[in-house]
Amino acid sequence: MAAYILRRLLWMPVVLVAVSFITFAVGQYGPGDPVQVLMGQKNNPEVVERIRKERGLDLPIHEQYFRYAWGVLHGDFGESYKYVGQKVSDLLISRVWVSVQLGAMALAVGVTLGMLFGLAAALNQGKWIDPLIVSGGLLLSSLPVFIVQPLLAFVLSRQLHLLPSAGWQSGLFGLGIFSPTIIMPVIVLSLGPIGGITRLMRASTLEVVTQDYVRTARAKGLPERAIRIHHITRNSTLPVFTVVGMSLAGLVEGGFISETLFGIPGVGRLAVESFFARDYPVIMAITLLVATAYIVTNLVIDIGYTFLDPRIRLR
Amino acid sequence: MKRYAWALISTLLIIGTACSTSTTPGSGQSGGVGGGLTVFGNDPPTLDPALMSDTSAASYVVEIFSGLVTLDRSLKIVPDIAESWDISSDGRTYTFKLRKGVKFHNGREVTAQDFKFSIERAADPKTDSHTADTYLGDIKGVLDKLAGKAKEVSGVKVVDDHTLQLILDEPRFYFLAKLTYPTAFVVDKDNVESGSKWTDKPNGTGPFKLKEWRKGELILLERNPDYYLEPAKLDQVKFLLAGGSAMTMYANNEVDISGISINDIEQIQDPKNQLNKEFVVAPSLDVWYIGFNTEVPPFDDPKVRQAFNQSLDKDKIIAVVLKGLYQRANGVLPPGMPGYNPNLKGLGFDPAKAKSLLQESKYKGNLPPITFTIPSSSTTVDPVTEAIVEQWKTNLGVEVKIQQSEWATFLQDIKRNPTKGKKNNFQLYELGWAADYPDPQDFVDILFHSKSLDNNGAYSNPEVDKLLDQAKSESNSEKRFKLYQDAEQIIVNDAAWVPLYHGKSYLLVKPQVRDYTPAPMIIPNYRYVSLAR
C-alpha cells in the first residue's frame, strides 16, 4: 500500500505540469491580450508594448512558462494583471475561504437532510411517504439555481423582508457562516445534494435491511431503535461517505453561476472575471489549485476505501 | 475503522445544526450603518491614482484623493487643491497657486513638492502607469521620463511651497480638463513607498478616508473632517462589492441608490408604481455608434457609408427596441458635453436616397460580403443589432452577417498599429465611447484625427485634421469649440460612423437621500449628499 501511495504521489507533479502547461499555452496562443484588456479601448500600442515588456509577456512561451514554474516552485504565484500590485496568493486565499465556507455549509446541510430523508423513505418503504420523499427530492434537485434563486429572493427578501437577497458579509470571527447572507445560497446549493443523497441513502438502507446481521439482531430481540441506529444507519452511510469525499474537491472551485447570482466573492466568480480579463496568473493559480484538490481527494478516497471496505486492497 | 466514518458524519450533523440555529435572525438590513449611505460598488482593480483607468476604480479614487483642479456637478473645471492658476500668453506655462492648509489624511500639509513627486512617480516607467502618456504626456519631459530617458520631468517646476509650474511642449487648451483625471492627483511619498500594498491604507487628501476594504465584499469610506473645502455631510459611505439583484436589494432596503435594468424601467415609469417617486434620470456622456473600416471595401467609398446611415430608422429602433430610453445621436458629441452642437445636421433617415447612393457608389450596388462585428460574450444576438441588420436588409436590400466577438478578442482585432502595419480586422463594428474629461477633444480629436491611434476606422480627411490641429492651440474656448463643431459636421457628412444613440442612466434613490445628483461623469459626488433621517 505504501508503494501504491508513493507511486500515486510521484504521478502528481507530472499531471500538474501537464495541466499547467496546457492552460498556459491556451492562454498565450488564444486571442486577446491582458494588457490591452487592462487598458480598455484607449490602449496605446506603444504603452501596451512597454507594459508587456515590463511583465515579460514578450518572451518566448517556453521561457515564460519556466519563469512561471520557477516562481511557483518557490511559492510565488506572481501578481494579478487585473488587480494591479496584488499577489495572486493573497487574492486567491480569501476567495477560496469564502467558497469553502459556503460549499461546506451547503454540503453539510445537504448530506444531513439527505441522509435523514433517505433513511425515512427506506424505513417507510411501501407507504405513501416513500414515493413522496423520493419524487420530492428529485424535483427539488432538478431545479436549476437560476430559477430557485429569484424565487427565494422574491419571497424571502422582497415580500417577507426576512433575509438579505444577496451579498456576503463576514460576521462573527470574520466568518461568513455566521452572517444571514449565507442562508439563501445554502438553501439553493443544498437542494442538489439533498436530492442525490436521499436516493443514495434510501438505496443503501434498503440493501442493508435485508442483510443477515440485521435479521440476527432482530432475532436476538434487540429493540427496534437500537437496530436502526447501530445496525442499519451506520452501515448504510458508507456509500454516502464516498460521495461526500468526491464533492470535497469541488469545494475549492466554488460555483460560477451561483456565486454570480448571489454576489458571493468566491473562487467561481474570480475565475470568470479573470478569464475575461485574461488575468493569466490568476487563471493558472486556480487551475493548479483545483487540479491539486482533485488529485489529492481522489487519492484520499482510494485509500479511504481500504479502511471502509476491507474487501478492497490497493496494489 | 467504521467508527471514524461515523465520527465524521456526526461532525457534519453538528455543523448542520449550528447552521440552522444561525438562521434565525437576519431580518431587514435597513439602509446603511451609523447614518451612512449604502450603495453598490465594483471591486476596484486598484486604488492607485496613477494606475487606475476604469470607472469602478475612479469612483473611489476621486473621493479619497484629489488634485489641482476638479469638476463640479455641472462639469465645470473648478479649483481644488490649486486655489487659482495663471496661463502664460504663449499657452505653455501653467502656474498654480496651491491652497494653504491642505492636509493629507494623516495631517501632513501638501506642498508643491508633493505634486512634483506625484507626477514624476506616475511618469516613472517602474510605476507601470498606462494612463500617464494620455493625461500627463503634454507636460514637457513626461514622455522622456516614461521612455526611461530622463530622471526628472523637466516641465514640472516647484517655485515655492505653494506655487507649482507645469510647462507644456505645445499649447494645449484641453490640458486643464485632463488634470481633473486621477493620474495627476497628489499622493504621499511615504505612503506610496511603504510597500506594494499601500493602497490598502491610502493617505489621500480627498473628502473621504478609506476606512475598510474587504476585497469582493465592501469598501467603507469615512468622512474626512479636516477636508480643505466644505467637509462631507455623510459620516460614511458603504459600497457593497458583492453584487446581487439590484432591484431586489433596493426594494429590501439593502441599498439606498440603485441602477435599474431596462426590463424594470417600464413598470417604474408607471406613475402608479410606488417606486415612481424615487426614479431619477441622468444624462450619460457617451455615444454608441456603428463604425466603418474605411480601409476595406465597400466602406472605402463614402457613398456606401452614407447609404448605410440613411437606411437606418434610428427613432424606430429607439422607440421599439430600446423603449425610448436612449436619445438619438446625430453626431459625435453627447448633449451636456462642452462644445455640443444642438444645430448639427445629421444625415437623417431616407431609404430612397440610400438606395440611389448605393447605385451611385463605385460598387454600383454589387457589394462584397459584409460582416458586422459586435463585442459580446452572449450566445444570442442583442435585439438592437438584429433590428439594425433587418433594416439594412429591408431598406437597402443588403444582407449583413453578424459576428459576435468576446471583448478581449474584439479589442485585439479592432486595434490598429500603423508602425507595425497592424490593421483593423473588422469591416463594420458596433462600439461606444464615453467621456474621460469634459472637452470635445476627448471625442472629436481622439476618434477622428488621422494620426490618432484610437481612430479605429482609419478615417482620414485633411480638412478635419487641419481644424483639429487648429483647435488644439486655440486659447479662446468659444472659438475652439466652434472648430470642433465644424470638424464634427464634416465627419458626419463623410459618414465616418453611423452615430446611434446617447445613453442615460436610470436610478432609484431612496427619499431620505438628499442632494444626490447623479453626474454624467465620475466626479467627487458624495460630499454633497446628506440624509434626512
Side-chain angles (χ1 to χ4, degrees):
Chain A
M1 174 125 139
Y4 174 82
I5 297 176
L6 188 72
R7 205 165 61 226
R8 285 282 293 266
L9 285 177
L10 285 176
W11 267 106
M12 205 166 123
V14 180
V15 175
L16 287 180
V17 165
V19 167
S20 64
F21 188 75
I22 292 170
T23 316
F24 200 82
V26 167
Q28 295 292 319
Y29 288 115
D33 176 84
V35 183
Q36 255 186 355
V37 180
L38 180 76
M39 292 181 61
Q41 233 172 306
K42 293 189 181 179
N43 65 80
N44 175 332
E46 281 169 33
V47 183
V48 172
E49 248 355 87
R50 195 184 72 221
I51 295 178
R52 282 178 65 87
K53 213 167 176 174
E54 197 81 30
R55 295 186 175 175
L57 285 164
D58 56 336
L59 300 171
I61 178 163
H62 61 272
E63 210 167 309
Q64 283 189 53
Y65 180 75
F66 283 125
R67 270 185 170 205
Y68 179 77
W70 189 249
V72 170
L73 289 176
H74 292 77
D76 177 12
F77 286 84
E79 281 185 6
S80 160
Y81 290 163
K82 181 182 174 200
Y83 293 98
V84 191
Q86 289 192 38
K87 279 206 163 128
V88 172
S89 38
D90 292 347
L91 202 63
L92 209 56
I93 286 169
S94 65
R95 306 297 187 110
V96 169
W97 183 221
V98 168
S99 287
V100 166
Q101 286 183 69
L102 175 62
M105 198 53 107
L107 193 64
V109 171
V111 169
T112 313
L113 293 180
M115 283 186 354
L116 290 176
F117 288 151
L119 203 59
L123 296 178
N124 290 295
Q125 201 198 10
K127 296 181 207 157
W128 59 271
I129 198 163
D130 177 26
L132 179 78
I133 289 178
V134 173
S135 48
L138 194 63
L139 177 76
L140 286 180
S141 62
S142 324
L143 288 174
V145 54
F146 48 83
I147 289 182
V148 184
Q149 190 269 341
L151 272 175
L152 278 185
F154 181 76
V155 176
L156 296 179
S157 303
R158 224 164 147 170
Q159 296 297 319
L160 302 174
H161 296 284
L162 281 177
L163 292 174
S165 64
W168 181 261
Q169 279 167 7
S170 313
L172 210 58
F173 311 122
L175 290 174
I177 50 171
F178 295 122
S179 150
T181 45
I182 200 174
I183 298 171
M184 227 189 298
V186 164
I187 297 176
V188 173
L189 292 180
S190 58
L191 288 182
I194 290 177
I197 289 174
T198 300
R199 277 152 49 92
L200 190 70
M201 185 70 185
R202 178 180 174 273
S204 84
T205 310
L206 287 178
E207 199 192 309
V208 170
V209 287
T210 59
Q211 296 289 325
D212 290 346
Y213 55 79
V214 175
R215 202 169 32 177
T216 312
R218 286 221 169 89
K220 278 196 298 191
L222 279 179
E224 187 59 21
R225 228 184 113 218
I227 297 172
R228 286 189 176 181
I229 294 175
H230 294 291
H231 296 275
I232 299 178
T233 315
R234 220 168 133 169
N235 287 302
S236 52
T237 44
L238 293 181
V240 175
F241 175 65
T242 323
V243 173
V244 172
M246 299 279 254
S247 338
L248 287 177
L251 292 183
V252 298
E253 264 182 317
F256 289 2
I257 300 174
S258 53
E259 286 181 2
T260 308
L261 281 177
F262 280 111
I264 292 164
V267 185
R269 231 176 76 189
L270 182 68
V272 176
E273 252 176 51
S274 309
F275 179 74
F276 284 122
R278 299 292 191 271
D279 199 341
Y280 300 143
V282 178
I283 299 173
M284 290 296 294
I286 294 177
T287 314
L288 287 175
L289 176 80
V290 175
T292 313
Y294 273 98
I295 296 172
V296 172
T297 339
N298 268 318
L299 180 60
V300 171
I301 289 169
D302 286 351
I303 299 169
Y305 275 141
T306 61
F307 291 107
L308 293 173
D309 191 338
R311 286 169 296 185
I312 299 172
R313 286 279 167 269
L314 301 174
R315 251 169 278 142
Chain B
M1 282 308 148
K2 281 174 184 169
R3 216 178 309 149
Y4 294 121
W6 184 243
L8 177 85
I9 289 159
S10 7
T11 323
L12 289 175
L13 282 168
I14 293 164
I15 298 175
T17 353
C19 164
S20 50
T21 48
S22 72
T23 60
T24 28
S27 51
Q29 297 277 305
S30 61
V33 186
L37 189 75
T38 307
V39 296
F40 277 112
N42 284 315
D43 210 0
T46 173
L47 290 180
D48 185 336
L51 292 181
M52 54 132 282
S53 62
D54 68 329
T55 50
S56 70
S59 51
Y60 310 105
V61 169
V62 297
E63 304 290 350
I64 301 169
F65 297 91
S66 61
L68 293 165
V69 286
T70 189
L71 300 170
D72 68 5
R73 295 209 276 190
S74 58
L75 301 187
K76 247 180 50 213
I77 299 169
V78 292
D80 199 1
I81 292 181
E83 57 183 358
S84 65
W85 55 87
D86 181 62
I87 306 170
S88 66
S89 52
D90 67 353
R92 284 172 204 249
T93 308
Y94 286 65
T95 309
F96 295 92
K97 269 268 163 250
L98 306 193
R99 230 175 266 276
K100 293 205 170 87
V102 175
K103 288 182 182 134
F104 284 107
H105 294 160
N106 72 354
R108 186 171 76 78
E109 185 160 353
V110 177
T111 65
Q113 200 64 47
D114 292 309
F115 275 98
K116 181 177 157 70
F117 167 78
S118 304
I119 292 172
E120 288 182 341
R121 168 185 179 260
D124 190 325
K126 283 202 204 77
T127 306
D128 237 10
S129 164
H130 50 263
T131 48
D133 301 66
T134 309
Y135 295 99
L136 303 173
D138 295 321
I139 303 172
K140 203 173 181 167
V142 162
L143 296 179
D144 284 343
K145 170 96 183 168
L146 273 168
K149 286 187 231 154
K151 249 192 101 196
E152 282 181 272
V153 172
S154 55
V156 183
K157 290 218 160 68
V158 175
V159 178
D160 61 48
D161 270 1
H162 294 96
T163 315
L164 179 80
Q165 244 176 24
L166 299 181
I167 301 148
L168 310 189
D169 280 320
E170 301 283 335
R172 292 281 180 260
F173 288 94
Y174 48 78
F175 178 63
L176 274 181
K178 282 191 175 182
L179 288 186
T180 62
Y181 200 81
T183 316
F185 282 8
V186 68
V187 291
D188 170 29
K189 186 168 188 258
D190 293 338
N191 185 214
V192 170
E193 289 173 354
S194 67
S196 68
K197 285 188 178 173
W198 72 274
T199 47
D200 285 353
K201 290 193 167 54
N203 183 25
T205 46
F208 288 91
K209 303 176 184 182
L210 178 69
K211 191 170 180 214
E212 207 179 351
W213 178 9
R214 276 185 254 153
K215 311 262 154 71
E217 193 179 328
L218 68 86
I219 281 187
L220 199 58
L221 299 183
E222 173 185 58
R223 192 165 73 104
N224 169 15
D226 302 323
Y227 184 53
Y228 48 91
L229 301 172
E230 194 193 340
K233 297 177 188 83
L234 293 169
D235 291 327
Q236 54 181 28
V237 187
K238 185 173 168 185
F239 296 85
L240 304 180
L241 310 180
S245 156
M247 284 287 290
T248 312
M249 291 176 80
Y250 183 83
N252 198 25
N253 292 326
E254 289 166 58
V255 287
D256 295 313
I257 299 169
S258 155
I260 313 171
S261 83
I262 187 162
N263 302 315
D264 290 318
I265 289 176
E266 236 170 346
Q267 49 154 327
I268 289 167
Q269 275 178 324
D270 179 357
K272 276 181 262 156
N273 190 310
Q274 278 182 332
L275 295 175
N276 184 267
K277 283 192 212 78
E278 299 165 20
F279 181 55
V280 177
V281 185
S284 157
L285 289 185
D286 57 25
V287 59
W288 297 90
Y289 64 90
I290 298 167
F292 298 112
N293 185 353
T294 61
E295 287 184 310
V296 297
F299 301 113
D300 48 348
D301 186 338
K303 290 215 162 100
V304 177
R305 302 200 298 259
Q306 282 155 359
F308 270 67
N309 254 283
Q310 298 199 296
S311 52
L312 277 194
D313 187 354
K314 292 183 254 185
D315 287 335
K316 194 169 170 188
I317 294 177
I318 291 169
V320 178
V321 186
L322 295 168
K323 299 173 184 170
L325 300 172
Y326 289 75
Q327 190 176 349
R328 188 189 67 217
N330 297 326
V332 178
L333 291 172
M337 187 80 183
Y340 169 72
N341 179 6
N343 303 318
L344 182 102
K345 269 181 69 80
L347 289 178
F349 172 54
D350 189 345
K353 175 117 184 281
K355 269 188 186 149
S356 64
L357 275 167
L358 207 58
Q359 288 306 321
E360 286 165 33
S361 77
K362 67 177 181 191
Y363 297 96
K364 307 267 182 263
N366 283 327
L367 301 184
I370 298 169
T371 305
F372 182 31
T373 312
I374 52 171
S376 165
S377 309
S378 168
T379 48
T380 51
V381 176
D382 70 288
V384 174
T385 308
E386 273 182 36
I388 290 170
V389 169
E390 185 57 30
Q391 289 201 4
W392 279 330
K393 193 174 155 191
T394 40
N395 298 339
L396 209 57
V398 177
E399 289 270 5
V400 171
K401 208 174 91 193
I402 301 170
Q403 171 186 310
Q404 305 205 102
S405 170
E406 175 263 349
W407 182 238
T409 319
F410 186 92
L411 273 181
Q412 201 170 39
D413 280 335
I414 198 172
K415 208 69 194 177
R416 289 164 59 234
N417 187 354
T419 47
K420 288 207 163 169
K422 157 90 175 67
K423 292 195 168 171
N424 179 346
N425 294 348
F426 302 140
Q427 253 177 319
L428 191 63
Y429 49 92
E430 199 178 291
L431 203 53
W433 188 260
D436 282 314
Y437 45 91
D439 194 284
Q441 186 266 349
D442 188 27
F443 280 73
V444 190
D445 189 288
I446 289 188
L447 296 168
F448 298 102
H449 195 291
S450 65
K451 296 251 160 37
S452 166
L453 293 165
D454 291 304
N455 178 352
N456 297 319
Y459 168 78
S460 166
N461 184 333
E463 206 184 336
V464 169
D465 282 359
K466 208 177 126 203
L467 288 168
L468 295 176
D469 288 336
Q470 252 177 300
K472 268 184 194 160
S473 40
E474 173 59 61
S475 62
N476 179 315
S477 50
E478 229 167 277
K479 280 189 199 156
R480 200 160 67 83
F481 291 170
K482 180 77 179 59
L483 289 166
Y484 283 122
Q485 291 177 352
D486 292 347
E488 187 187 14
Q489 185 67 64
I490 301 174
I491 292 162
V492 169
N493 296 345
D494 279 348
W497 279 1
V498 182
L500 289 175
Y501 41 78
H502 304 293
K504 281 183 192 172
S505 28
Y506 295 88
L507 298 171
L508 285 171
V509 180
K510 291 276 173 193
Q512 71 269 20
V513 180
R514 295 286 150 85
D515 296 311
Y516 178 78
T517 316
M521 283 185 64
I522 307 258
I523 59 161
N525 207 2
Y526 289 106
R527 67 186 170 106
Y528 306 104
V529 180
S530 61
L531 286 173
R533 250 191 266 185

